[in-house]
Amino acid sequence: MAAAPAAAGSGAGRGRRAAATVAAWGGWGGRPRPGNILLQLRQGQLTGRGLVRAVQFTETFLAERDKQSKWSGIPQLLLKLYAASHLHSDFIECQNILKEISPLLSMEAMAFVTEERKLTQETTYPNTYIFDLFGGVDLLVEILMRPTISIRGQKLKISDEMSKDCLSILYNTCVCTEGVTKRLAEKNDFVIFLFTLMTSKKTFLQTATLIEDILGVKKEMIRLDEVPNLSSLVSNFDQQQLANFCRILAVTISEMDTGNDDKHTLLAKNAQQKKSLSLGPSAAEINQASIVFPPPGASEENGLPHTSTRTQLPQSMKIMHEIMYKLEVLYVLCVLLMGRQRNQVHRMIAEFKLIPGLNNLFDKLIWRKHSASALVLHGHNQNCDCSPDITLKIQFLRLLQSFSDHHENKYLLLNNQELNELSAISLKANIPEVEAVLNTDRSLVCDGKRGLLTRLLQVMKKEPAESSFRFWQARAVESFLRGTTSYADQMFLLKRGLLEHILYCIVDSECKSRDVLQSYFDLLGELMKFNVDAFKRFNKYINTDAKFQVFLKQINSSLVDSNMLVRCVTLSLDRFENQVDMKVAEVLSECRLLAYISQVPTQMSFLFRLINIIHVQTLTQENVSCLNTSLVILMLARRKERLPLYLRLLQRMEHSKKYPGFLLNNFHNLLRFWQQHYLHKDKDSTCLENSSCISFSYWKETVSILLNPDRQSPSALVSYIEEPYMDIDRDFTEE
């Protein structure tokens, strides 16, 4: 709390007070200088010196000046509030003063958020600005934090009602006055203290709203392990409070500048990771480890927190509330599933039966049928990605993607009958059952006639061609197939017409969206990889040269989008050629796609373009797959002792394009980066091995052979770069 005015006899205090008064009055003449007071207060606010609070003025002076400037009596009210808020106060008078101040600011905030910011001609400055300038914000912070002060061993107390008024006034000031939220964010002890006000239901909503705004502008994220009794706090939340609290968690567990977007270069990511290793875990990672969850059974009905019954609200409004609350919970779970605590979160999600809960919610809320006018925000339409209805669907699909990706718990997306179907597929094909299927706890899977994955496939096939959901739906289903290839998983989806649906979208509807095309090509590759039945179905659907040419046109329109399919077909071709089986031989002789990929000119065309469209400085998580696909082609050539041939052909193609050395120098740099990037990342190497069925040691050996500096080696890149065009030692480290 700011110091009281200096007592008489204190020379230093008296001198400072006199100087401030002189500055305010513009000299010793006793008449105020117009506009000078606010300027002095603003400077004091920035420097912490001079005029900073209403208490530094006399009530007479403030009243006289208020007549001219029309400050709505706010400075005088702050002067009274300061006097009434001393440590031994019972705060009754404070609360009465706050009741006078509150409506002066709330109407202004309401006008601000509804974009009706039309100040009357009589008001030169907004009330919230005057309130802050005369020290109102700092004074309310001090009042709120009184419970942290002890007098003779007794902690001071203020009522919930008074705390609620203080919080509302602070929030309204933050809304209307620039810079207030940032100043509050710099008071770390205050931000941590705010969490303790969430214990009371009377102050919970105002506290949560203010915390969320403050964290949104805070430069350094708070650490949840510094919040007193966080576990006890959260365990006492009801479902509506927990859902609101998830809005705060969403901020605290998200990296402030993650660099995980596909558009960030891998060079920048690697540099950031090195920096992070030296600094230790980030605040977001620490917060993810600090989060506590509701006890089992807290959300048995729907699998997600739900709001209290609002019988007085229209049905559409009740649904809107349900959507908004569940949206926050889904986002938090999504972030946690992608973090370091992934396995622990997976176990909790399974034990709390979230997946069966989502399955029960699917038709009722997540993918429910609604009228065109329902749940549309002001200024938007029902197809806008800002719509809560659409945002919920996308967040739901992202959660399924994160949940299924490379984790055996993905089989919880099925029901018991569908799990039995997987076992029957394996038995019929005379192959061992997938161990993860055998280990799945049947009491935790979906109930009802259809599991969550099957429901997703049904809506996916009904989705309009222009729908923005297609990308996310394909990503969610693809994540179920990622990892070690499972024939049973593929057949489960093939039997439900997924391949035909994908080909219809790519060929017959001639999809134009690059994002959707990429997701469909990736899904198609995972669905067909090493699966003879899938290639038979492909050939049955693409049954004319005209259809096949449309398909090839889509593939060749952007290799960044289609290269994963090219890789899967190339790997499948290599496996089929080494199998002795009539069914396989029949597919090899009939399938247009396999025949096309088997041609060396086709492979060389893909290889040349894949290397040419990427460079070390532009590699991202999105396009690094092009580098790995080019390596797959060369690894398979090496197996057949044809690696020198492929390198020779690349050299000839370079010369034919009149750019000798350009492609192979670029490839040499890319492979050097590949070593730097992958040899220190276990997860990436495991993914490469599982998805290709080629041991990572063979990947490493092939790269080393290609980077061999011996110009006499027939498998070394340098042997095919002529001396005048050699440029292989370029430094590509991220500054």
Side-chain angles (χ1 to χ4, degrees):
M1 185 169 179
S10 171
R14 187 169 58 248
R16 285 194 296 271
R17 183 77 182 274
T21 306
V22 171
W25 284 85
W28 293 106
R31 293 192 58 79
R33 183 180 300 164
N36 199 38
I37 296 173
L38 299 188
L39 177 62
Q40 291 288 329
L41 282 166
R42 179 60 177 154
Q43 288 176 343
Q45 195 178 70
L46 295 173
T47 64
R49 297 189 300 271
L51 296 179
V52 292
R53 291 198 172 190
V55 73
Q56 293 172 288
F57 303 93
T58 65
E59 187 172 0
T60 304
F61 168 71
L62 291 175
E64 182 180 340
R65 187 58 194 267
D66 194 13
K67 292 176 183 177
Q68 303 172 38
S69 303
K70 296 184 173 33
W71 291 335
S72 304
I74 289 173
Q76 298 97 300
L77 287 170
L78 286 174
L79 192 62
K80 292 179 182 178
L81 184 61
Y82 185 91
S85 63
H86 57 81
L87 292 177
H88 299 286
S89 168
D90 61 5
F91 295 115
I92 294 175
E93 181 62 22
C94 284
Q95 195 161 340
N96 292 332
I97 298 168
L98 289 171
K99 295 293 184 187
E100 288 188 63
I101 295 174
S102 186
L104 297 174
L105 276 58
S106 60
M107 292 301 293
E108 195 171 279
M110 182 63 70
F112 193 94
V113 296
T114 55
E115 298 183 355
E116 297 173 1
R117 308 169 193 176
K118 299 174 181 177
L119 299 174
T120 60
Q121 292 181 352
E122 293 82 15
T123 306
T124 308
Y125 295 97
N127 289 340
T128 49
Y129 180 76
I130 296 300
F131 176 81
D132 177 43
L133 210 55
F134 278 88
V137 169
D138 291 334
L139 181 54
L140 290 196
V141 168
E142 291 167 6
I143 292 173
L144 277 171
M145 292 189 72
R146 284 291 165 78
T148 64
I149 300 174
S150 296
I151 296 181
R152 299 189 186 95
Q154 295 288 321
K155 284 198 172 183
L156 298 176
K157 294 181 180 179
I158 62 175
S159 68
D160 286 344
E161 191 64 32
M162 184 166 164
S163 294
K164 186 176 178 180
D165 287 340
C166 289
L167 291 165
S168 295
I169 292 171
L170 282 177
Y171 176 73
N172 288 335
T173 309
C174 287
V175 167
C176 299
T177 305
E178 187 178 357
V180 173
T181 314
K182 288 183 179 179
R183 290 209 327 272
L184 290 177
E186 292 168 1
K187 302 176 185 290
N188 202 60
D189 57 341
F190 175 65
V191 179
I192 295 295
F193 168 77
L194 282 176
F195 280 84
T196 66
L197 298 181
M198 299 176 80
T199 56
S200 168
K201 287 191 176 183
K202 289 183 180 179
T203 58
F204 176 88
L205 192 57
Q206 286 78 11
T207 307
T209 306
L210 183 59
I211 291 175
E212 187 183 352
D213 271 26
I214 289 173
L215 294 184
V217 300
K218 193 166 175 59
K219 290 182 179 179
E220 294 183 2
M221 186 47 60
I222 64 161
R223 287 178 47 165
L224 291 177
D225 58 359
E226 295 177 357
V227 177
N229 303 315
L230 179 66
S231 177
S232 173
L233 175 72
V234 178
S235 63
N236 288 319
F237 285 159
D238 62 27
Q239 293 299 303
Q240 184 174 343
Q241 287 176 314
L242 181 63
N244 271 296
F245 186 63
C246 281
R247 295 176 67 91
I248 294 170
L249 288 183
V251 181
T252 62
I253 66 176
S254 301
E255 296 290 353
M256 301 186 81
D257 183 13
T258 62
N260 288 328
D261 189 275
D262 282 351
K263 304 300 185 287
H264 283 69
T265 68
L266 294 183
L267 275 177
K269 284 187 180 182
N270 287 352
Q272 182 60 40
Q273 284 168 353
K274 288 179 182 177
K275 184 179 178 182
S276 299
L277 286 174
S278 64
L279 296 174
S282 67
E285 289 171 331
I286 293 171
N287 289 342
Q288 289 175 23
S290 301
I291 290 179
V292 289
F293 289 83
S299 52
E300 289 178 358
E301 180 186 350
N302 288 337
L304 284 174
H306 53 82
T307 63
S308 56
T309 305
R310 292 180 171 82
T311 54
Q312 72 275 22
L313 288 176
Q315 181 64 21
S316 61
M317 284 301 294
K318 285 196 281 187
I319 292 173
M320 171 73 86
H321 280 285
E322 288 288 295
I323 286 177
M324 296 306 291
Y325 288 131
K326 287 173 172 57
L327 182 59
E328 304 302 336
V329 180
L330 291 177
Y331 176 80
V332 168
L333 291 173
C334 238
V335 174
L336 292 174
L337 281 170
M338 295 186 287
R340 293 189 179 186
Q341 311 297 318
R342 186 184 187 215
N343 288 331
Q344 180 186 355
V345 176
H346 251 289
R347 186 173 66 253
M348 288 181 167
I349 285 177
E351 291 172 357
F352 296 166
K353 297 188 176 182
L354 176 74
I355 299 303
L358 287 173
N359 193 38
N360 294 334
L361 274 177
F362 192 85
D363 292 331
K364 298 176 187 175
L365 185 70
I366 298 173
W367 232 276
R368 65 189 185 84
K369 294 178 181 178
H370 60 276
S371 65
S373 60
L375 303 181
V376 179
L377 297 179
H378 177 70
H380 300 267
N381 60 61
Q382 68 269 20
N383 296 317
C384 175
D385 283 352
C386 300
S387 160
D389 212 31
I390 290 179
T391 307
L392 178 70
K393 288 180 170 68
I394 291 174
Q395 201 60 58
F396 165 76
L397 293 170
R398 290 185 67 185
L399 178 66
L400 290 192
Q401 179 186 353
S402 303
F403 184 79
S404 302
D405 195 13
H406 294 89
H407 203 285
E408 60 186 23
N409 270 359
K410 67 182 183 180
Y411 292 108
L412 297 180
L413 298 177
L414 310 182
N415 63 18
N416 275 299
Q417 185 179 348
E418 292 163 346
L419 286 171
N420 292 337
E421 184 181 338
L422 284 180
S423 299
I425 291 171
S426 298
L427 182 65
K428 183 179 179 181
N430 197 27
I431 58 176
E433 281 193 65
V434 178
E435 189 175 350
V437 175
L438 295 172
N439 294 336
T440 297
D441 186 342
R442 296 293 184 106
S443 69
L444 303 177
V445 302
C446 294
D447 47 20
K449 294 182 179 180
R450 292 181 295 276
L452 203 47
L453 180 63
T454 302
R455 288 179 185 273
L456 176 57
L457 291 174
Q458 288 179 324
V459 298
M460 182 179 180
K461 288 195 284 186
K462 295 176 183 177
E463 207 62 47
E466 70 282 0
S467 170
S468 60
F469 296 133
R470 281 190 170 199
F471 169 81
W472 296 106
Q473 290 167 338
R475 279 281 176 259
V477 177
E478 185 215 342
S479 69
F480 182 81
L481 292 171
R482 279 187 203 151
T484 304
T485 303
S486 166
Y487 174 80
D489 292 355
Q490 290 173 323
M491 292 306 300
F492 180 85
L493 297 174
L494 286 169
K495 288 169 67 176
R496 284 157 175 77
L498 180 59
L499 183 137
E500 289 79 8
H501 167 71
I502 296 171
L503 292 177
Y504 170 81
C505 294
I506 294 174
V507 176
D508 295 316
S509 71
E510 294 193 51
C511 176
K512 298 294 190 296
S513 166
R514 281 194 57 185
D515 286 339
V516 173
L517 267 178
Q518 183 178 24
S519 64
Y520 272 64
F521 278 131
D522 290 351
L523 175 55
L524 186 61
E526 291 294 338
L527 189 61
M528 295 179 66
K529 187 167 51 180
F530 306 137
N531 192 308
V532 174
D533 297 278
F535 279 92
K536 286 186 71 173
R537 283 174 176 259
F538 176 92
N539 214 42
K540 184 177 180 181
Y541 191 93
I542 307 295
N543 54 4
T544 67
D545 287 338
K547 276 190 173 183
F548 188 59
Q549 290 306 314
V550 173
F551 184 75
L552 290 184
K553 180 182 176 183
Q554 292 281 50
I555 286 181
N556 288 303
S557 64
S558 175
L559 273 183
V560 171
D561 301 326
S562 63
N563 82 89
M564 290 299 293
L565 174 64
V566 171
R567 187 194 305 182
C568 291
V569 176
T570 303
L571 287 164
S572 300
L573 174 66
D574 180 74
R575 176 174 290 191
F576 294 160
E577 287 177 338
N578 290 290
Q579 290 179 336
V580 180
D581 183 276
M582 289 296 294
K583 189 176 179 181
V584 173
E586 181 184 345
V587 169
L588 281 172
S589 64
E590 294 179 356
C591 182
R592 288 178 171 85
L593 185 57
L594 289 171
Y596 175 74
I597 294 292
S598 68
Q599 299 170 23
V600 173
T602 300
Q603 293 180 24
M604 293 310 303
S605 173
F606 281 135
L607 186 58
F608 187 92
R609 285 182 289 154
L610 286 168
I611 298 171
N612 198 38
I613 58 179
I614 51 175
H615 306 278
V616 171
Q617 288 75 16
T618 59
L619 276 180
T620 65
Q621 199 63 48
E622 180 183 14
N623 63 28
V624 71
S625 58
C626 295
L627 174 57
N628 290 320
T629 299
S630 65
L631 268 174
V632 165
I633 294 172
L634 292 177
M635 282 191 293
L636 298 181
R638 180 189 163 205
R639 276 184 180 174
K640 300 172 184 176
E641 299 183 349
R642 302 175 78 179
L643 184 54
L645 169 64
Y646 279 53
L647 296 180
R648 241 187 345 266
L649 291 172
L650 282 178
Q651 183 189 42
R652 290 179 188 172
M653 294 172 81
E654 265 189 339
H655 282 269
S656 69
K657 302 289 185 183
K658 310 297 184 187
Y659 289 112
F662 174 78
L663 186 86
L664 294 177
N665 277 315
N666 183 45
F667 193 37
H668 194 282
N669 286 329
L670 287 165
L671 294 180
R672 284 171 54 218
F673 173 81
W674 188 95
Q675 286 184 323
Q676 175 185 307
H677 181 70
Y678 282 103
L679 298 188
H680 299 89
K681 297 186 73 180
D682 294 337
K683 183 183 177 183
D684 279 342
S685 62
T686 303
C687 290
L688 288 177
E689 191 170 69
N690 289 342
S691 65
S692 65
C693 290
I694 299 174
S695 69
F696 190 61
S697 60
Y698 198 79
W699 284 80
K700 291 190 292 185
E701 288 170 11
T702 304
V703 172
S704 295
I705 288 170
L706 288 166
L707 292 179
N708 188 344
D710 183 5
R711 291 179 62 82
Q712 302 305 312
S713 169
S715 298
L717 284 174
V718 292
S719 301
Y720 301 89
I721 306 173
E722 296 170 33
E723 198 70 51
Y725 307 111
M726 189 80 70
D727 184 20
I728 61 173
D729 298 318
R730 186 174 302 172
D731 181 21
F732 49 73
T733 56
E734 182 77 6
E735 295 298 331

